[in-house]
Amino acid sequence: MIGNLRRFMQMWRRSKLVNNHSMTHSQIITTWLGKKYAESKELGNQCVAWAKKYSEEAGYPINGFSGSALNGWNSWSPFNTEWRRIENAPNAIPKAGSVVFFDKTPTNPYGHVAIVDDGSTNTQLVVVEQNAGSGNGNGIGANAITRRTVWYTA
């Protein structure tokens, strides 16, 4: 189970691209939707791996982000100057390409991270995520890279 959206980070594109051959948001989503991505066989196809892969292909890699989704939010260090941290608020609608973090739940103490897709509003987010099904990291079905709408309140 995915927890409530409590906070998000938004890509800040004023810094120089690391990868001059980066893909657009739509190209990345089209390429990866329905597939799976793992940083290592041991870790499996986790939400953090997908967020890092997306950001790398967009030209803004997240260096040093590992472990749980909550670790990424709490430590902040891997995001450096290419990102700005925005708390969830009624007037702060995440843009496509933003990295969003979901709180932990009683059944998921690690939280969850996803990428915002087009079509989000102040009451719903369209996200592209990995490992949102059972959370077992197998990359199959709802644990693959999928798109879904998440309702939330600020």
Side-chain angles (χ1 to χ4, degrees):
M1 177 177 207
I2 304 299
N4 291 328
L5 175 73
R6 300 248 189 239
R7 40 204 154 204
F8 62 92
M9 289 184 200
Q10 183 169 318
M11 194 176 290
W12 189 22
R13 296 187 182 244
R14 289 188 186 172
S15 297
K16 182 180 178 184
L17 284 172
V18 174
N19 175 1
N20 292 328
H21 304 287
S22 60
M23 299 168 65
T24 67
H25 173 78
S26 296
Q27 289 171 326
I28 299 167
I29 300 306
T30 300
T31 298
W32 285 99
L33 207 56
K35 298 178 182 173
K36 58 186 175 180
Y37 179 76
E39 289 184 287
S40 71
K41 187 176 181 178
E42 294 79 22
L43 294 174
N45 306 285
Q46 300 295 328
C47 59
V48 170
W50 161 241
K52 288 174 69 174
K53 184 64 174 172
Y54 173 91
S55 300
E56 175 187 314
E57 292 196 357
Y60 295 89
I62 304 171
N63 299 315
F65 179 19
S66 61
S68 72
L70 287 182
N71 181 51
W73 176 264
N74 292 330
S75 71
W76 178 246
S77 62
F79 293 92
N80 300 318
T81 59
E82 281 111 25
W83 299 81
R84 62 184 167 127
R85 185 173 179 150
I86 302 171
E87 296 286 339
N88 189 20
N91 61 345
I93 301 170
K95 296 177 184 169
S98 295
V99 178
V100 293
F101 291 85
F102 296 86
D103 249 348
K104 62 185 177 180
T105 67
T107 58
N108 176 6
Y110 310 107
H112 187 63
V113 63
I115 304 299
V116 176
D117 202 4
D118 294 314
S120 296
T121 69
N122 63 348
T123 59
Q124 67 179 17
L125 288 178
V126 180
V127 296
V128 179
E129 60 194 348
Q130 179 170 255
N131 203 31
S134 66
N136 67 11
N138 67 3
I140 299 171
N143 291 319
I145 297 170
T146 56
R147 179 185 286 126
R148 77 178 169 116
T149 300
V150 180
W151 297 93
Y152 76 102
T153 57

